[in-house]
Amino acid sequence: MPRTALRICPLCEATCGLTLTVEGPRVTGARGDREDVFSKGFICPKGAAFGEADADPDRLRRPLVRRDGKLQEASWEEAFDAVAAGLRPLIERHGPDTVGVVLGNPNVHTMAGGLYPPLLLRTLRTRNLFTATTVDQMPKHVSSGLLFGDPYAIAVPDLDRTDHLLLLGANPLESNGSLCTAPDFPGKLRALRARGGTLTVVDPRRTRTAKSADRHLAIRPGTDALLLAALVHVLFEEKLTDLGALEGQVEGVDELRDSVREFAPEAVAVACDVPAGTIRTLARDLAAAPTAAVYGRMGASTVAFGTLTNWLVDVLNILTGNLDRPGGALFPLAATARAPRPAGPGKGFTLGRRHSRVSGHPEAKGELPLAALAEEIDTPGDGAIRALIAVATNPVLSAPDGDRLDRALGSLDFMVSVDPYLNETSRHAHVVLPPPPPAQ
């Protein structure tokens, strides 16, 4: 007999409500939950395909253990025994840093992914942690850490109340957005324009989102920091800054004014491929809007000056008085966050407490660049990675120079992959541990 189950979609960070039809152990249908106060019935193609993803015949249901060079099904007891037999001798012989750990994006979409990797890292005592964050939003964490003292203090646009949204390097009509947990991002953009608000999109491509905008700036790729610095220049030059409630709580305004003195719109227009007049108009519009929010996503991070770009995003929110106020950029409080403490000095944020062995890349939040994983494996010497634990990740496809990483993984003494699929990365593993399907 079919039954209905109300659940929250676990497939991305938007946390949309799902109405699932369940027959026995199978999910046979999925649609948006119209009663969900957050998503109001919105569902994306991933959520609509929940049943198919859950019952995918290619999904691994039992662990795999490599025997005689081939991965074969095994019991959980056999698989965990194989993990212990493979890792322990290497750690005892070469030390804990002989093991590398790679964490993929799905870890942040499950409670288990948030709870257990820290326990694993503490048990292993390895410092070789590589994450998907380092090929995604790490510049946002770093800029937030340096600006606010907390790398997780990421201000997000108040999409439901803002009057002007400046969106850089994002295409939420295709991706539904991220780093701001907004079910039905496309609907929120339509509502913004319907209430008389303005949407400005900065993107080299004429994406679906750019086509729907009031203004599209087809910027030259990688020059976002120049554009934002020019906007800040105009705010100072034309005396358009207004810190509002932040007055007296912001340091370094004079230094900032000096640092952007040479970045007039006329000086950056050719490099950005955006007319100087357009830049000046945008700065004036942001300053004049009753409320405004600047939001940068993937395209603002995965560029040479991604950290500077993300810092300038929040600088604009601060200078226009739109940080931490309704209609601007707000600091959300996670359901699992600690209770707010009284304002006062904190521990601050430090970069580069240690560096990667081969190229000397600084750590950020204890994480090393995923782009450096291959060289840490295939470069001989003390401290080389000989074993790897990959959790919910396929870096052969997602990391830079996947061909080199593919070869490097093949040279490991031992590898464990926690993954529901046998893919380009997990095929190198000596043990593959499949997680339960999403419905479980």
Side-chain angles (χ1 to χ4, degrees):
M1 186 70 160
R3 61 186 178 89
T4 298
L6 301 180
R7 294 292 184 269
I8 301 298
C9 182
L11 300 180
C12 90
E13 69 186 59
T15 63
C16 299
L18 289 179
T19 300
L20 302 178
T21 302
V22 183
E23 298 185 36
R26 294 181 58 242
V27 176
T28 57
R31 55 187 172 84
D33 178 7
R34 295 185 182 277
E35 300 299 318
D36 188 283
V37 296
F38 205 26
S39 57
K40 299 181 175 63
F42 173 80
I43 191 172
C44 82
K46 289 181 290 185
F50 185 93
E52 288 85 346
D54 200 62
D56 188 348
D58 292 331
R59 178 181 286 274
L60 298 176
R61 306 288 172 174
R62 289 171 55 82
L64 302 179
V65 173
R66 192 172 296 277
R67 301 190 183 100
D68 300 322
K70 294 183 179 180
L71 286 170
Q72 302 176 24
E73 284 195 353
S75 69
W76 284 98
E77 290 78 8
E78 290 172 318
F80 283 120
D81 286 345
V83 171
L87 288 178
R88 188 181 298 277
L90 290 171
I91 295 172
E92 291 175 348
R93 190 177 309 126
H94 302 288
D97 286 340
T98 199
V99 182
V101 176
V102 186
L103 300 179
N105 184 266
N107 282 286
V108 301
H109 298 151
T110 69
M111 291 299 291
L115 289 171
Y116 296 114
L119 299 179
L120 173 65
L121 291 166
R122 283 200 293 272
T123 301
L124 291 169
R125 294 185 295 113
T126 179
R127 298 178 299 170
N128 283 320
L129 170 63
F130 305 83
T131 67
T133 303
T134 61
V135 288
D136 189 344
Q137 81 273 10
M138 185 60 85
K140 191 67 187 178
H141 288 296
V142 172
S143 67
S144 295
L146 296 174
L147 185 58
F148 305 124
D150 182 350
Y152 297 101
I154 295 177
V156 301
D158 185 0
L159 300 175
D160 296 313
R161 292 179 287 187
T162 192
D163 295 289
H164 190 155
L165 177 64
L166 171 56
L167 187 152
L168 299 97
N171 184 15
L173 262 65
E174 297 283 3
S175 67
N176 198 55
S178 56
L179 275 191
C180 75
T181 309
D184 194 10
F185 205 127
K188 293 180 185 297
L189 294 185
R190 289 192 296 270
L192 163 67
R193 299 190 67 199
R195 63 177 181 265
T198 300
L199 172 63
T200 299
V201 172
V202 177
D203 199 297
R205 296 177 58 244
R206 188 164 173 77
T207 63
R208 279 185 61 202
T209 306
K211 291 177 183 177
S212 71
D214 298 281
R215 179 192 291 123
H216 171 214
L217 277 60
I219 194 171
R220 191 185 305 276
T223 62
D224 304 75
L226 287 175
L227 172 67
L228 297 180
L231 293 174
V232 173
H233 174 99
V234 174
L235 292 179
F236 280 122
E237 181 189 54
E238 301 189 7
K239 297 181 172 52
L240 299 175
T241 63
D242 181 4
L243 299 182
L246 299 177
E247 192 71 52
Q249 301 188 55
V250 179
E251 298 178 347
V253 174
D254 292 336
E255 293 90 336
L256 174 61
R257 180 188 293 106
D258 292 340
S259 70
V260 299
R261 198 177 303 279
E262 304 300 321
F263 292 89
E266 291 74 17
V268 307
V270 173
C272 293
D273 203 17
V274 177
T278 300
I279 298 174
R280 289 188 176 277
T281 298
L282 176 55
R284 293 164 186 160
D285 288 351
L286 281 174
T291 61
V294 185
Y295 164 71
R297 191 49 195 102
M298 191 78 161
S301 287
T302 55
V303 289
F305 297 98
T307 303
L308 177 60
T309 300
N310 279 279
W311 177 71
L312 286 167
V313 163
D314 283 321
V315 164
L316 279 171
N317 285 322
I318 292 169
L319 292 179
T320 55
N322 283 298
L323 182 71
D324 200 25
R325 75 152 172 162
L330 299 171
F331 291 104
L333 181 63
T336 57
R338 296 175 180 174
R341 59 179 177 79
K347 296 180 180 179
F349 175 71
T350 304
L351 278 172
R353 293 167 293 181
R354 60 185 184 82
H355 295 75
S356 64
R357 176 182 65 101
V358 178
S359 295
H361 297 295
E363 61 77 35
K365 301 199 296 102
E367 303 169 21
L368 294 170
L370 187 56
L373 176 60
E375 67 182 25
E376 292 295 323
I377 297 172
D378 65 20
T379 303
D382 291 341
I385 291 176
R386 299 168 181 266
L388 192 71
I389 300 176
V391 183
T393 183
N394 187 7
V396 169
L397 284 190
S398 61
D401 199 355
D403 288 341
R404 179 180 180 181
L405 182 57
D406 190 34
R407 295 189 297 271
L409 294 180
S411 71
L412 288 167
D413 292 340
F414 193 74
M415 178 178 168
V416 181
S417 182
V418 180
D419 205 288
Y421 293 101
L422 198 59
N423 57 35
E424 293 80 1
T425 297
S426 61
R427 70 182 183 87
H428 290 288
H430 296 80
V431 179
V432 182
L433 305 173
Q440 295 182 33

